Amino acid sequence: MSEEITQALQQTCLYQEHLALGAKMSPFAGFMMPIQYSSITQEHLAVRQKVGMFDVSHMGEIFVEGPQAEEFVNWIFTNEIRGFQGGKVLYGMMCYPEGGVVDDLLVYREFEPEHFLLVVNAANIDKDFAWIREKVKGFNCTVRNESPDWGQIAVQGPEAEKTVMEVLGYKEAANLGFYEYCNVEYKGKRLILSRTGYTGEDGFELYTTPENTVEIWKRLLAAGVEPCGLGCRDTLRFEAGLPLYGDELSADISPVMAGLGMFCKYDKDFIGKEALLDQKAGNVAKKLVGIEIEDKAIPRAGYPVELEDGTEVGVVTTGYHSISLDKSICFALVNKDCSALDTPLWVRIRKKTFPGKVVKKRFYQTNYKK
Amino acid sequence: MSKILEGLKYSESHEWVKAEGDIAVVGVSDFAQEEMGDITYVDLPEVDDEVTAGEEFGALESVKASSDLISPVSGTVVEVNADLEDAPEKVNEDAFGNWIIKVKMSDPSELDALLDAAAYKALIGE
């Protein structure tokens, strides 16, 4: 048995709710998580057309505070946090000196000076916290991993704002722009109401205590909000062109390779800057692209990408028959000279190859709040 | 709880077979379609393709995963259910009513090695 299987799986605070709903459960990132409740297609469409909710309590919450917190976070984070105000959220990465990615994450600038919240991927909490603790040496600030103390629900879809306002009574929701948050209370405990998400739709992420999370989940469910599993979380983020750590970003796939250079700011110093600048200047072998193929066959992670003559030039990282677009599309990591838009490429699916071409990675027109 | 039809033969890889003379009509079980979730693509063989008992002859794709179709018998494909190319979801709607291929069996005694309804029911734990 592999080590992965023998390690005890964790449960989120909503585990019993998932069982009660009859969810298909599966291990993900060390947690036993719901993959689907009804069907991936139905849940996917609920988020695109109305509103759905996800248990994302497995995500990690790391707090950085102290006189040099801003300086420290800006040193480990690729994006520029100086000059952005309390109540704002920024997406970016933590990189290794070689340019590979430790994790992609959200940085919340709190309203108190020199207070930050870093929200990281569940699979990477231990690795990230070890990395942060190592790098913080010499900086005058503290770091705390509070992941087990926080539950999190993502409410996503065109009716998300209405839902948060009417079902939960948070009128503040209307005033938040995309990637902004505010602090409210639920039962006297802090609730971070954040206009963020991972679906390509407008939506909110609600961070609060595990007890509050269970109560809020039940209230949303009673109000008719569709419970959505990790299955459609992946189809939704994929259509919206959003990367998943482990598939499109990793220690071997840098932000420059993944086409996420806009989240790296080079007029400051940060870990990995030199390597990324070098890659940006052209010293990079692979690029992440979108490919659309002319068939209903589905390109899956690991399938080879070829030229017409059968030369292998890359590999699929994520692929689906897109639910919103009714097309077979994938992300693939391919040789740089094959990465220009409209380049003809073939994907090998079992015994056959299917012709396709390079397209923009944002397959679906996102609907974020302006 | 998934449906199991009496009178059919089943493979351990969740295909069903209905023998009509030396023709085997092959589909997947209700249990299989339930496990897979929404089926979005059926990769069919071509008429006249040779298939071998225990070997892959095509695939079903759900949103999340691909699952090989394993032939329960050996022989030659005489017909494929082309309706499934445009409407793969029919397998979800009625797994027994929507066959996938028909095979002219080269060795009908292979049917004896397959499970009957009771044995299949035991296999899937229902």
Side-chain angles (χ1 to χ4, degrees):
Chain A
M1 253 209 271
S2 76
E3 197 178 338
E4 221 171 12
I5 295 170
T6 52
Q7 280 181 358
L9 287 164
Q10 300 181 68
Q11 299 172 357
T12 72
C13 52
L14 291 168
Y15 179 75
Q16 293 300 332
E17 307 310 311
H18 305 319
L19 295 189
L21 286 165
K24 266 190 195 167
M25 305 293 289
S26 183
F28 176 84
F31 288 80
M32 203 62 183
M33 295 298 289
I35 300 305
Q36 65 177 65
Y37 303 86
S38 56
S39 91
I40 293 176
T41 307
Q42 179 182 324
E43 294 164 23
H44 179 107
L45 293 173
V47 172
R48 286 278 180 257
Q49 295 165 359
K50 293 180 72 184
V51 59
M53 61 176 174
F54 300 82
D55 176 14
V56 279
S57 302
H58 58 314
M59 302 290 284
E61 290 83 10
I62 295 171
F63 289 80
V64 182
E65 297 166 6
Q68 288 185 299
E70 178 184 275
E71 195 182 328
F72 170 63
V73 174
N74 223 26
W75 164 242
I76 58 170
F77 189 55
T78 57
N79 214 334
E80 174 62 82
I81 68 166
R82 287 172 303 182
F84 95 115
Q85 305 298 310
K88 299 275 190 188
V89 188
L90 261 188
Y91 173 76
M93 298 87 199
M94 294 191 291
C95 285
Y96 294 106
E98 301 77 20
V101 179
V102 180
D103 204 359
D104 63 336
L105 65 154
L106 296 179
V107 170
Y108 287 69
R109 182 187 277 267
E110 304 229 52
F111 294 89
E112 303 89 335
E114 299 286 1
H115 279 53
F116 296 89
L117 162 60
L118 280 48
V119 179
V120 304
N121 283 300
N124 295 336
I125 295 172
D126 292 344
K127 179 185 74 176
D128 290 356
F129 192 55
W131 176 260
I132 289 166
R133 277 175 43 160
E134 170 64 29
K135 297 302 160 196
V136 79
K137 287 174 188 167
F139 286 90
N140 186 6
C141 59
T142 59
V143 295
R144 275 191 331 277
N145 175 15
E146 290 192 6
S147 303
D149 305 331
W150 292 84
Q152 190 191 346
I153 298 172
V155 181
Q156 302 280 301
E159 294 179 11
E161 180 184 284
K162 182 169 163 264
T163 301
V164 168
M165 290 176 73
E166 291 180 5
V167 180
L168 301 176
Y170 293 125
K171 305 291 178 220
E172 298 88 340
N175 302 324
L176 294 173
F178 198 52
Y179 272 66
E180 290 178 357
Y181 80 96
C182 63
N183 291 311
V184 293
E185 280 195 356
Y186 191 93
K187 295 266 171 94
K189 296 282 169 54
R190 183 181 180 191
L191 185 148
I192 301 170
L193 180 62
S194 171
R195 196 159 207 153
T196 46
Y198 193 48
T199 60
E201 299 300 331
D202 185 21
F204 296 83
E205 293 175 306
L206 285 65
Y207 305 74
T208 186
T209 63
E211 298 73 28
N212 280 350
T213 300
V214 174
E215 233 184 272
I216 290 169
W217 176 272
K218 287 178 174 170
R219 284 178 64 183
L220 292 169
L221 190 68
V225 178
E226 179 101 20
C228 296
L230 293 184
C232 79
R233 188 168 162 82
D234 201 52
T235 56
L236 289 159
R237 69 91 190 167
F238 163 72
E239 286 181 350
L242 303 170
L244 173 63
Y245 188 89
D247 290 348
E248 285 83 30
L249 287 171
S250 70
D252 299 320
I253 310 176
S254 74
V256 172
M257 292 162 75
L260 299 169
M262 62 176 165
F263 300 105
C264 304
K265 297 293 154 58
Y266 300 103
D267 50 4
K268 64 159 196 172
D269 281 330
F270 64 90
I271 300 169
K273 175 181 169 180
E274 306 312 321
L276 293 176
L277 271 176
D278 187 43
Q279 291 185 8
K280 192 166 171 269
N283 194 7
V284 63
K286 299 271 183 187
K287 282 282 205 180
L288 190 75
V289 296
I291 301 174
E292 180 180 329
I293 65 169
E294 301 161 12
D295 197 277
K296 282 187 151 186
I298 304 169
R300 303 281 185 193
Y303 288 4
V305 177
E306 302 177 351
L307 299 178
E308 190 168 19
D309 66 6
T311 310
E312 195 169 323
V313 294
V315 64
V316 173
T317 60
T318 303
Y320 285 107
H321 189 80
S322 162
I323 295 168
S324 303
L325 308 169
D326 193 26
K327 287 175 183 169
S328 285
I329 47 181
C330 64
F331 292 145
L333 197 61
V334 302
N335 294 349
K336 191 177 68 171
D337 58 0
C338 302
S339 63
L341 282 181
D342 295 323
T343 304
L345 290 175
W346 280 254
V347 180
R348 179 166 294 278
I349 300 176
R350 293 181 291 276
K351 292 169 188 162
K352 295 176 222 163
T353 56
F354 293 86
K357 65 173 184 186
V358 175
V359 297
K360 285 186 179 164
K361 289 196 294 292
R362 185 170 285 188
F363 306 107
Y364 173 80
Q365 182 57 51
T366 53
N367 299 302
Y368 301 131
K369 168 89 173 181
K370 295 293 183 290
Chain B
M1 179 153 170
S2 47
K3 205 162 88 173
I4 297 173
L5 282 198
E6 294 293 331
L8 301 183
K9 291 284 194 175
Y10 295 87
S11 68
E12 291 183 6
S13 49
H14 309 290
E15 289 80 15
W16 57 260
V17 185
K18 185 179 177 193
E20 297 175 343
D22 62 350
I23 302 293
V25 184
V26 178
V28 296
S29 72
D30 194 43
F31 176 80
Q33 73 76 20
E34 269 182 10
E35 285 292 299
M36 285 205 72
D38 300 329
I39 293 167
T40 56
Y41 181 76
V42 184
D43 187 2
L44 296 167
E46 307 212 346
V47 170
D48 292 336
D49 278 1
E50 296 291 322
V51 295
T52 306
E55 292 186 9
E56 173 255 321
F57 72 85
L60 292 183
E61 303 250 21
S62 70
V63 175
K64 198 73 201 154
S66 164
S67 174
D68 284 346
L69 290 164
I70 308 295
S71 187
V73 293
S74 305
T76 309
V77 176
V78 292
E79 208 180 333
V80 300
N81 187 353
D83 285 355
L84 300 179
E85 285 175 358
D86 292 324
E89 67 279 5
K90 284 185 170 182
V91 177
N92 290 121
E93 289 159 11
D94 182 2
F96 292 109
N98 289 282
W99 55 277
I100 295 171
I101 57 168
K102 294 185 181 180
V103 178
K104 186 173 168 57
M105 291 181 277
S106 55
D107 180 6
S109 73
E110 285 174 347
L111 291 171
D112 301 336
L114 297 171
L115 307 172
D116 62 14
Y120 183 65
K121 190 171 181 174
L123 175 80
I124 62 175
E126 290 189 357

